Amino acid sequence: MTGKSPITQRTARHGSHKLCKFDLSDLEWTNMIPECPTYHPSEHEFEHPLVYLQKIAHEASKYGICKIVSPIAASNPAAFVLMKEKKNFKFETNVQPLRLSKWNEKDIITFSMRGRKYTYHDFEVLANKAFFSRFHSSRDLPSSYVEKEFWHEMAQGEKGTVEYGVNVEGSAFSCDPNDRLGTSKWNLKNFSQLPQSLIRLVDREIPGITDPMLYIGMLFSMFAWHVEDHYLYSINYHHSGANKTWYGVPGYAASQFEKTVLQHVYCNKIITKHGEDGAFKFLAQKTTMFPPNVMLQHDVAVYKAVQKPGEFIITFPRAYHAGFSHGFNCGEAVNFANGDWFPLGAAASRRYTHLKMMPLIPYEELLCKEAMLVFKSSRVRSSKNKPEDTTSYQAIMLPFMHLMQSYKTSLLRLNSSRKLHSSSNTTGSQICSLCYRDCYVAYLLCKYCFSHPICLFHDIAPQTCLCGRDYTIFKRNDIFALEEAAKSFQQGKECVDKFSLSSIFSCNINDCIKVPENNPWQREKSVRGTSFLGVASKPKTKVADSTKHSDERNKSTTKHWRNNGLPSVRGAERPGIIYNLRKRKSKLI
């Protein structure tokens, strides 16, 4: 925050001040947004979080977000945990401008301006002063009134700012063994390690994904429109303080949402420069805030929730969401996923590859590990308890079969098209230096310099590394076991033919499986053949272009490695996957 008081730093409002995109002269639309469902699990239902969430997912995912009221309360409030249990706790804020951007390239709002460091108590004092300065009251106000005031401020404001403690590493769940909520499975510190959680398979710490983060806000602190990284679920617990208003767009409407933002929020220059992917690229920066009445005006489904202390908000895969705080508060969030997520994860992985975005999690590795666990489990179960009729089993089986068929086709093509060095084994993962795809099963790599790995899904890949030596195909030690599992799944494919993946999260499966026509890596009629899913695999590509510019791309990749750690060279061992192990700094929730 800058100056004496946030929110109140506004220039005189002139009648000539206009927003080119949004008309907020009438705020009655705030009463027209329907509420998302609220669930009240019993203490018995509350004992197994992911089981309960899977139970309500079919209904709740239709709204994009839902609210769950905890049947048990924390014994130790967030203030006690962050001031007593965590001594010397401090956090840094981001400064957020209280205005709507006109969304031209000279007027794009950024939320990355650094604020100051605060203790929990000092920020609470500051936030309460700001609230009193704005409303001349210290009492809670009706949520509908605060909502209208927020959008009025955003529409008319020019120089006002607020501060938000975003992506603060840590947790406000108590370590006290007598704290019921802290010892429950809903403690977000333990969420990633639950037996049904896919995140348990990630073997490195990723703040915000494997470990929760805190979000400490004040009046009008906001989290801009965004979808979770890799289309993951998210769970947000409201520890204490003022309410939060959330807006959510269900996953089935995500494409319509992006199209509407592209056409009615961003300016024509952005559309011309970035094309149809422009909306996703800019939304991924998590700095785009606009009123949800834009969705109402263009028939895009949007829902609302007012989150109070003691309540969880769940966001479902590929559900865009945004919101703001009604005053000083403390929340905590983490991502998660179960087996049903894999089709959405596959779609996100393809999109990241197409846009050359660095992945945060190793999707391919998670898929293979979970598929092998399911395969081994299915072999020891009795015939009466086979998992083939479960949604999660089928959601894992289809993407896994598709992946293994793609590798099989690519390996046959590479072996027949040119002379390669003898294959070597690997137990690690790599990031393709051309498209940033994560490779777990196999990849091309120079066994001398161990740099510039390439995935197998480029139809014309360079035979030699930049160091001048030939590439070698590295394959996993257990690739035959993976192939055996894929064959076993294929034999049980009859049950899949009767199964509609579109039932998962009420999502259009074409958005999950269908390859975008403008995707240069995944067009139809690929030489790699047709996949198990009956969908064209990776495309014919002019990787000559990629090779031509590989030097330039690898400079970019090297720069990323310098910021996040170079791959290690350990003799015969293979370098592990290189990821950005931190949530993007602009992420607001």
Side-chain angles (χ1 to χ4, degrees):
M1 179 183 355
T2 55
K4 295 181 180 179
S5 177
I7 304 174
T8 57
Q9 292 181 3
R10 289 165 284 172
T11 59
R13 291 171 182 149
H14 303 289
S16 61
H17 176 70
K18 292 181 181 179
L19 283 166
C20 61
K21 293 288 184 182
F22 315 110
D23 179 11
L24 296 181
S25 56
D26 181 4
L27 292 170
E28 288 306 308
W29 57 264
T30 57
N31 301 322
M32 298 170 60
I33 301 176
E35 292 189 2
C36 73
T38 298
Y39 296 92
H40 297 265
S42 66
E43 289 195 27
H44 177 71
E45 291 175 312
F46 201 68
E47 290 178 359
H48 302 287
L50 293 182
V51 173
Y52 180 74
L53 290 173
Q54 191 164 28
K55 176 183 175 182
I56 66 172
H58 180 70
E59 176 188 56
S61 62
K62 297 174 184 177
Y63 301 85
I65 61 174
C66 75
K67 186 164 66 173
I68 297 174
V69 180
S70 173
I72 59 178
S75 304
N76 298 323
F80 176 85
V81 175
L82 297 178
M83 290 193 291
K84 300 295 183 181
E85 291 187 15
K86 299 180 183 297
K87 295 182 179 180
N88 303 318
F89 172 77
K90 285 189 176 182
F91 63 95
E92 189 175 69
T93 60
N94 281 0
V95 178
Q96 300 179 326
L98 277 176
R99 64 183 177 88
L100 293 169
S101 175
K102 297 176 185 178
W103 283 109
N104 59 57
E105 293 190 338
K106 295 180 181 179
D107 189 36
I108 293 177
I109 286 180
T110 175
F111 291 158
S112 60
M113 295 180 291
R114 287 188 176 183
R116 294 180 291 183
K117 280 194 173 181
Y118 297 91
T119 65
Y120 187 79
H121 174 71
D122 288 345
F123 189 75
E124 180 179 15
V125 170
L126 179 76
N128 288 338
K129 283 183 179 178
F131 186 92
F132 185 82
S133 175
R134 180 68 173 79
F135 293 120
H136 304 290
S137 171
S138 58
R139 299 179 302 169
D140 291 338
L141 300 172
S143 295
S144 58
Y145 173 75
V146 178
E147 182 181 20
K148 287 182 174 65
E149 287 296 303
F150 172 76
W151 289 113
H152 178 77
E153 187 72 31
M154 290 292 286
Q156 302 298 326
E158 293 180 358
K159 293 187 177 179
T161 60
V162 293
E163 294 189 53
Y164 193 13
V166 181
N167 294 346
V168 178
E169 294 187 25
S171 173
F173 283 94
S174 177
C175 297
D176 186 345
N178 296 318
D179 189 298
R180 292 187 66 199
L181 188 61
T183 56
S184 77
K185 292 179 180 177
W186 290 78
N187 181 333
L188 300 192
K189 288 188 292 186
N190 306 320
F191 219 75
S192 65
Q193 297 305 311
L194 294 176
Q196 300 89 352
S197 168
L198 296 178
I199 305 300
R200 77 192 188 284
L201 301 174
V202 178
D203 59 3
R204 57 193 64 85
E205 291 184 1
I206 309 176
I209 292 182
T210 62
D211 301 298
M213 283 181 162
L214 292 168
Y215 299 86
I216 305 172
M218 63 189 300
L219 178 64
F220 297 162
S221 295
M222 70 193 88
F223 47 103
W225 288 101
H226 67 282
V227 66
E228 293 300 308
D229 296 307
H230 293 273
Y231 299 165
L232 291 164
Y233 287 84
S234 76
I235 178 170
N236 182 296
Y237 180 68
H238 195 332
H239 282 286
S240 61
N243 297 343
K244 282 184 182 178
T245 290
W246 291 69
Y247 304 105
V249 173
Y252 71 80
S255 295
Q256 189 182 3
F257 173 89
E258 291 171 7
K259 183 178 180 181
T260 300
V261 172
L262 189 65
Q263 295 177 348
H264 302 287
V265 175
Y266 295 141
C267 69
N268 291 332
K269 273 190 177 181
I270 292 175
I271 299 172
T272 303
K273 186 174 181 180
H274 300 280
E276 293 183 2
D277 289 313
F280 182 78
K281 287 179 180 178
F282 277 92
L283 288 165
Q285 297 175 20
K286 304 173 179 75
T287 60
T288 303
M289 194 63 171
F290 59 86
N293 69 326
V294 175
M295 300 299 109
L296 294 176
Q297 292 167 358
H298 298 92
D299 298 320
V300 179
V302 61
Y303 299 92
K304 176 166 50 178
V306 177
Q307 184 188 23
K308 302 174 184 177
E311 296 178 345
F312 293 89
I313 291 288
I314 308 298
T315 72
F316 289 87
R318 213 186 172 194
Y320 279 94
H321 49 282
F324 62 92
S325 293
H326 296 200
F328 174 72
N329 56 26
C330 177
E332 183 172 338
V334 74
N335 288 122
F336 70 96
N338 57 28
D340 295 347
W341 163 80
F342 277 116
L344 282 302
S349 182
R350 285 195 298 273
R351 198 167 202 182
Y352 278 38
T353 299
H354 171 49
L355 298 176
K356 297 180 178 58
M357 291 174 60
M358 189 66 68
L360 287 173
I361 59 173
Y363 167 79
E364 190 173 299
E365 182 176 347
L366 296 184
L367 176 61
C368 290
K369 285 182 176 180
E370 189 69 9
M372 290 305 295
L373 289 173
V374 170
F375 170 62
K376 291 173 183 177
S377 175
S378 66
R379 297 180 72 179
V380 299
R381 293 185 184 186
S382 65
S383 57
K384 293 182 179 179
N385 296 311
K386 289 288 184 181
E388 284 83 349
D389 59 342
T390 66
T391 301
S392 291
Y393 173 88
Q394 295 159 348
I396 295 166
M397 179 177 62
L398 282 171
F400 179 68
M401 288 164 51
H402 178 217
L403 177 72
M404 294 309 297
Q405 176 62 40
S406 298
Y407 269 109
K408 180 179 179 180
T409 306
S410 293
L411 286 167
L412 287 172
R413 174 176 54 80
L414 285 171
N415 286 328
S416 62
S417 65
R418 61 182 180 169
K419 184 178 180 181
L420 288 168
H421 279 225
S422 58
S423 301
S424 298
N425 291 332
T426 179
T427 56
S429 297
Q430 280 288 350
I431 293 290
C432 176
S433 58
L434 296 181
C435 66
Y436 296 165
R437 176 192 174 105
D438 64 290
C439 311
Y440 178 71
V441 178
Y443 47 81
L444 296 173
L445 187 66
C446 173
K447 65 179 181 180
Y448 295 96
C449 70
F450 293 100
S451 61
H452 314 297
I454 298 176
C455 71
L456 304 190
F457 305 122
H458 299 290
D459 292 330
I460 307 173
Q463 185 163 339
T464 58
C465 177
L466 292 180
C467 71
R469 296 181 174 91
D470 288 346
Y471 275 109
T472 298
I473 296 180
F474 288 85
K475 295 183 290 187
R476 285 195 57 76
N477 295 326
D478 59 351
I479 191 169
F480 295 113
L482 292 169
E483 290 175 350
E484 181 186 358
K487 290 177 182 177
S488 175
F489 289 150
Q490 173 66 17
Q491 291 171 359
K493 190 173 178 291
E494 298 78 28
C495 66
V496 179
D497 294 333
K498 301 175 183 178
F499 170 68
S500 172
L501 271 175
S502 60
S503 64
I504 299 177
F505 316 125
S506 303
C507 179
N508 183 348
I509 192 57
N510 289 329
D511 290 336
C512 304
I513 302 297
K514 185 178 178 181
V515 176
E517 291 181 3
N518 64 344
N519 188 334
W521 303 109
Q522 298 177 344
R523 291 195 186 95
E524 293 183 355
K525 298 182 180 179
S526 166
V527 295
R528 292 167 52 210
T530 304
S531 72
F532 280 116
L533 297 178
V535 178
S537 307
K538 301 273 184 178
K540 283 187 176 180
T541 54
K542 296 181 179 178
V543 182
D545 292 339
S546 297
T547 308
K548 180 180 178 181
H549 301 292
S550 62
D551 217 7
E552 187 176 325
R553 283 174 185 153
N554 283 310
K555 285 180 184 177
S556 172
T557 306
T558 303
K559 183 179 179 181
H560 175 84
W561 284 347
R562 285 172 182 165
N563 293 333
N564 296 280
L566 285 166
S568 59
V569 180
R570 301 173 300 230
E573 294 183 21
R574 306 302 169 220
I577 198 163
I578 307 300
Y579 284 102
N580 179 359
L581 300 186
R582 180 178 294 275
K583 283 281 207 180
R584 295 179 180 89
K585 281 291 185 182
S586 58
K587 169 139 190 191
L588 306 175
I589 196 167

